[in-house]
Amino acid sequence: MEQMTNILILSAGTRNKIVRYFKETLTIREGKRNGYVVAADMSRLAPSVYEADRFYQVSAVTEPGYLNEVFEICRKEKISAVLSLIDPELGLLSDHEAEFSELGVSVIGSRPELCDMSLDKMQMYQWLTEHGYQTAKSYTDKETFFADIAAGKIFYPAFVKPRTGSASISVCRAEDEETVKFLLKHGNDLLVQECLEGQEIGADIYVDMISKEMVSAFTKKKIAMRAGETDKAVSFQDERLFELLEKFVKEAGYEGVLDVDLFEIDGEYYISEVNPRFGGGYPHAHESGCNHVKMLVNNLRGIVNKRSVGAYEEGIYMMKYNETSIRKFSSK
């Protein structure tokens, strides 16, 4: 008898494709299922939850009783593994891995300190520079930033953004000192970051949760962005980039699904941001043959994945488009 693997996807939002991919992976011969997909979100207007086998409306992630609601879903639905699709929730799940383990649930993600570092742009900057990786200069002290401007170590424009923000929310471009000072004065916990001018690149990576080796990597050149996510992109390959990514994830210690943003400037790669979860552009990798959902399910069943880095064609384009979902709710 096939092993049942039930997946709980938290903060499912608009990520319909992720839900579909898990359902497809958990469907075996003649349409029979060897696992179910349960989705949870704080809003019943999250489109992806209607793709799942079951849906739970839960409190906001920041509410004190939120985790207890998640634990109860795990018990009721006999969940095998839980994952989140938003950055602020990753550390919360990882911090409570022991409690999930007691319920027989695996937390899909990296260690708590890596989740925290990935969310905190200044921590990420410090780690990258200390370990010799190229990245955008970042400052929490405005005087140091202005001193580097005066010394010609950095130039305008610059970005002022939340230190722990995501999805490009509240990111402002500053063309001069006056704008930087104004933005810093009217915001909290902000940093100033160098504006990198070059080709934006995205990498969808899977680090095997058993062998701890990077077994898959898909890279794409971004053509257009929307709301902080890749809207149009084209696949490409570069062995130097694969080697850099493999060195980075191994040295940092990431596990499972990973989304890395980079810039290519004059032939050199700069690591920009890291999200230890499925990225918004993951469907590009999946539809090109890099099935990280299958790899994840394999690991949950004790199967070590074979290395298949770069196992896709170059020149495959992704173009996102809108779909409409119509629902009728009871007035009660």
Side-chain angles (χ1 to χ4, degrees), residues 263-280:
F263 282 85
E264 188 273 319
I265 303 172
D266 297 328
E268 298 295 326
Y269 291 109
Y270 291 67
I271 296 176
S272 174
E273 293 192 6
V274 181
N275 304 302
R277 55 168 171 78
F278 284 103

Side-chain angles (χ1 to χ4, degrees), residues 63-124:
E63 290 295 319
Y66 174 72
L67 267 180
N68 288 330
E69 295 178 44
V70 175
F71 292 149
E72 184 56 33
I73 296 171
C74 291
R75 293 188 192 97
K76 184 176 180 180
E77 299 293 347
K78 296 180 173 58
I79 296 299
S80 307
V82 60
L83 61 95
S84 176
L85 298 180
I86 62 169
D87 297 319
E89 192 168 13
L90 300 175
L92 176 67
L93 297 181
S94 190
D95 279 335
H96 292 85
E97 187 172 11
E99 290 98 315
F100 280 106
S101 182
E102 289 177 2
L103 298 173
V105 180
S106 298
V107 174
I108 305 303
S110 295
R111 301 192 309 272
E113 60 270 25
L114 286 176
C115 293
D116 293 341
M117 181 177 78
S118 302
L119 183 62
D120 188 321
K121 294 176 176 59
M122 198 62 196
Q123 276 192 51
M124 192 80 245

Side-chain angles (χ1 to χ4, degrees), residues 91-318:
L92 176 67
L93 297 181
S94 190
D95 279 335
H96 292 85
E97 187 172 11
E99 290 98 315
F100 280 106
S101 182
E102 289 177 2
L103 298 173
V105 180
S106 298
V107 174
I108 305 303
S110 295
R111 301 192 309 272
E113 60 270 25
L114 286 176
C115 293
D116 293 341
M117 181 177 78
S118 302
L119 183 62
D120 188 321
K121 294 176 176 59
M122 198 62 196
Q123 276 192 51
M124 192 80 245
Y125 166 73
Q126 291 167 344
W127 189 95
L128 288 168
T129 52
E130 287 170 5
H131 289 80
Y133 294 92
Q134 299 189 93
T135 188
K137 295 182 179 68
S138 301
Y139 305 82
T140 51
D141 177 58
K142 65 180 180 181
E143 300 307 327
T144 303
F145 168 73
F146 292 136
D148 279 2
I149 284 283
K153 296 179 180 179
I154 186 173
F155 304 92
Y156 290 111
F159 287 110
V160 178
K161 57 178 67 175
R163 180 169 172 163
T164 58
S166 61
S168 295
I169 296 172
S170 300
V171 174
C172 297
R173 182 180 171 111
E175 302 287 345
D176 50 44
E177 179 177 328
E178 182 181 2
T179 305
V180 171
K181 288 182 175 179
F182 174 83
L183 292 169
L184 292 177
K185 183 179 179 181
H186 292 84
N188 296 313
D189 202 20
L190 302 176
L191 60 74
V192 186
Q193 195 169 73
E194 178 183 14
C195 176
L196 295 180
E197 302 285 358
Q199 173 63 58
E200 289 188 69
I201 290 168
D204 296 283
I205 296 168
Y206 191 78
V207 180
D208 193 276
M209 295 187 293
I210 300 174
S211 70
K212 313 301 182 187
E213 299 293 332
M214 186 179 87
V215 292
S216 179
F218 175 87
T219 54
K220 54 186 177 280
K221 294 181 179 180
K222 300 181 181 183
I223 299 170
M225 300 289 291
R226 177 171 52 169
E229 289 190 355
T230 307
D231 198 45
K232 295 178 176 63
V234 60
S235 63
F236 82 106
Q237 296 194 24
D238 182 350
E239 283 300 325
R240 286 192 309 114
L241 178 53
F242 291 148
E243 290 172 6
L244 173 69
L245 292 169
E246 189 159 21
K247 178 178 181 293
F248 167 64
V249 298
K250 188 82 171 179
E251 194 168 5
Y254 285 103
E255 297 179 39
V257 182
L258 199 62
D259 170 51
V260 181
D261 293 328
L262 307 98
F263 282 85
E264 188 273 319
I265 303 172
D266 297 328
E268 298 295 326
Y269 291 109
Y270 291 67
I271 296 176
S272 174
E273 293 192 6
V274 181
N275 304 302
R277 55 168 171 78
F278 284 103
Y282 169 72
H284 193 179
H286 191 99
E287 300 293 345
S288 299
C290 298
N291 191 339
H292 297 173
V293 172
K294 178 63 174 176
M295 291 181 172
L296 191 159
V297 172
N298 281 345
N299 279 171
L300 292 174
R301 293 174 175 168
I303 302 169
V304 179
N305 293 289
K306 294 180 180 179
R307 181 182 173 86
S308 58
V309 174
Y312 61 91
E313 294 182 17
E314 293 188 287
I316 299 175
Y317 285 81
M318 177 191 75

